[in-house]
Structures are given as structure tokens and as C-alpha cells.
Amino acid sequence: MNCNIIKDLLPSYIDGICSEDTVAAIEKHIEHCQGCKDTTQKMQQPTVQIVETNVEAAKEPFKRINKKRRFQVITAIMMTFILTIIGFQVVQDVGVVHQFFFPKVIAIAHITDDREEWQSISFSADLINDQDYVIYDSLFWKKEIINDANNENDVLLRVKDEKGDVIIDEILIPLGKGVKLDGLKRKEKYFFEIKAPQGRFSINAV
């Protein structure tokens, strides 16, 4: 049997579908023909090699996708972190922004006698420009009045509307504590009066 016939029969030989006589003839030929022997050995291995090659080739696009995805996630995390820091700095350092999100006005009251009379107080966001009323013009107002912890005594406060009518009467605010002012409406002017012993008092509206 010449080599060409052997090579034609090799696929059937490898698949095990040749007759016993054909198998014997092929194996006898292979023993004496190095070329056909090499061809047979190569034909017995290709499936594994091709599968491994195909698997690696199939993985390659996903590796590229995964690398790109990791880069996108890391970039997004870094951008979020940077924007958070910038936003925090803006809120803290830019007065208008800080005042919008964390509204607060301060009143400094000087009580010079013990006549126990109500005294009007004026509020300021910057301790420079005073106004004798508070307007809750933002959703971020807590509508809470605080007796600063650095004061010396408890204080009494009351709240009037634009007509001069008392709408919240005699709120006792302990030293260093705050009291919620329930019922006050947004975008309306409210006037505060204080009654306290002699001294200097810092009152915070938040």
C-alpha cells in the first residue's frame, strides 16, 4: 500500500471504523514509514489543540471588555470621589451655597436690666447685616431656635407675625438646647422677642 492510500484511510483508522485487515495493513505500513507515522500522530491530536486555541481566541475579546470595564468603573469611582470633595468644599467655603443648604441666622441680644420686659432681637447670617425678622424661605430650614451653649442662662422667647400678633408665646429654651417651632410657614416674616436676666445672649435660628 502506498502512502497516498494510507493517508486516505487514516481518518477512518483513527475513528476506528476500518476492518481488521485494513487496520493491520495501515499499522504495518506505519511501522516502516516515518512520514505516515508522523501524519497519524498529528491527526490524533488536532481536536485538543484546536479546542484550546479556539477557547483562548474566544476569551480574548472578553479579556479586553473586562479590562475596559474595570477602567470605566475605576474612573467613575475616582470622578465621584473628586466631585464629592469639590462639592463639599463649595458648600463649606462658598457662603451663599452653605447658607442655602444649611440656613442659619444669629441674634445677639444684650439685656441691660432685670425689668423682665420683652425685647426685640434682630438676626444676621453674617453678623454684619441685621434684619428684625426671620423668613423660612428654604426647605432646608429646621425651624428650630437654639439657646447657645456659651450663654449664661435659660431664656424665654416668643414669636410674632407681621401683624404683631403673638403666635408662639413664652417658649422656655434651656441653656445649650433647641426648641422646634412647629406651625411656622414658609416665606412669611416672623419677629422674635426675648426675655432673660442681664447679660449677652446668642440665639441661633436654624
Side-chain angles (χ1 to χ4, degrees):
M1 228 179 261
N2 65 36
C3 291
N4 289 332
I5 295 174
I6 293 296
K7 289 178 180 177
D8 290 340
L9 293 172
L10 281 177
S12 299
Y13 169 76
I14 291 170
D15 291 339
I17 58 176
C18 293
S19 66
E20 292 181 3
D21 292 339
T22 303
V23 169
I26 292 172
E27 290 178 349
K28 184 177 180 180
H29 178 86
I30 290 172
E31 287 179 5
H32 301 91
C33 179
Q34 188 61 40
C36 290
K37 185 177 182 179
D38 293 341
T39 301
T40 303
Q41 290 175 345
K42 289 178 181 179
M43 291 179 69
Q44 289 173 335
Q45 298 299 323
T47 302
V48 175
Q49 294 175 351
I50 291 172
V51 169
E52 290 178 352
T53 303
N54 288 342
V55 168
E56 289 302 317
K59 286 181 178 179
E60 193 60 33
F62 290 99
K63 288 180 179 178
R64 290 196 295 267
I65 291 173
N66 288 337
K67 288 180 181 178
K68 184 177 180 181
R69 184 62 178 167
R70 284 197 297 270
F71 177 76
Q72 290 175 338
V73 170
I74 293 171
T75 302
I77 292 173
M78 290 179 63
M79 290 300 296
T80 301
F81 177 76
I82 291 170
L83 290 175
T84 301
I85 295 298
I86 292 173
F88 179 79
Q89 291 297 324
V90 168
V91 170
Q92 289 297 316
D93 298 337
V94 180
V96 174
V97 178
H98 186 275
Q99 184 64 17
F100 178 80
F101 287 104
F102 304 99
K104 176 182 178 179
V105 288
I106 302 172
I108 305 298
H110 296 275
I111 309 299
T112 57
D113 55 51
D114 291 323
R115 291 181 296 173
E116 295 189 355
E117 295 182 356
W118 290 104
Q119 178 176 316
S120 298
I121 55 177
S122 298
F123 290 88
S124 172
D126 54 14
L127 298 179
I128 298 174
N129 301 303
D130 292 340
Q131 57 187 31
D132 58 356
Y133 57 84
V134 176
I135 299 180
Y136 297 104
D137 53 356
S138 166
L139 292 173
F140 298 101
W141 282 97
K142 295 180 182 179
K143 295 181 181 177
E144 183 177 0
I145 199 81
I146 300 170
N147 182 10
D148 194 278
N150 293 318
N151 296 336
E152 297 180 359
N153 292 287
D154 300 344
V155 298
L156 285 173
L157 287 178
R158 70 179 181 182
V159 185
K160 293 182 176 180
D161 60 16
E162 279 192 274
K163 298 177 182 178
D165 297 329
V166 177
I167 55 174
I168 299 179
D169 195 13
E170 293 199 10
I171 315 164
L172 176 62
I173 307 178
L175 180 64
K177 302 293 183 180
V179 175
K180 292 282 288 184
L181 304 177
D182 296 324
L184 300 187
K185 299 177 181 179
R186 288 183 60 206
K187 297 184 179 180
E188 291 193 11
K189 293 181 180 180
Y190 293 102
F191 300 81
F192 289 76
E193 294 180 342
I194 186 173
K195 185 188 290 185
Q198 290 188 39
R200 180 181 180 276
F201 296 88
S202 177
I203 307 297
N204 304 320
V206 297

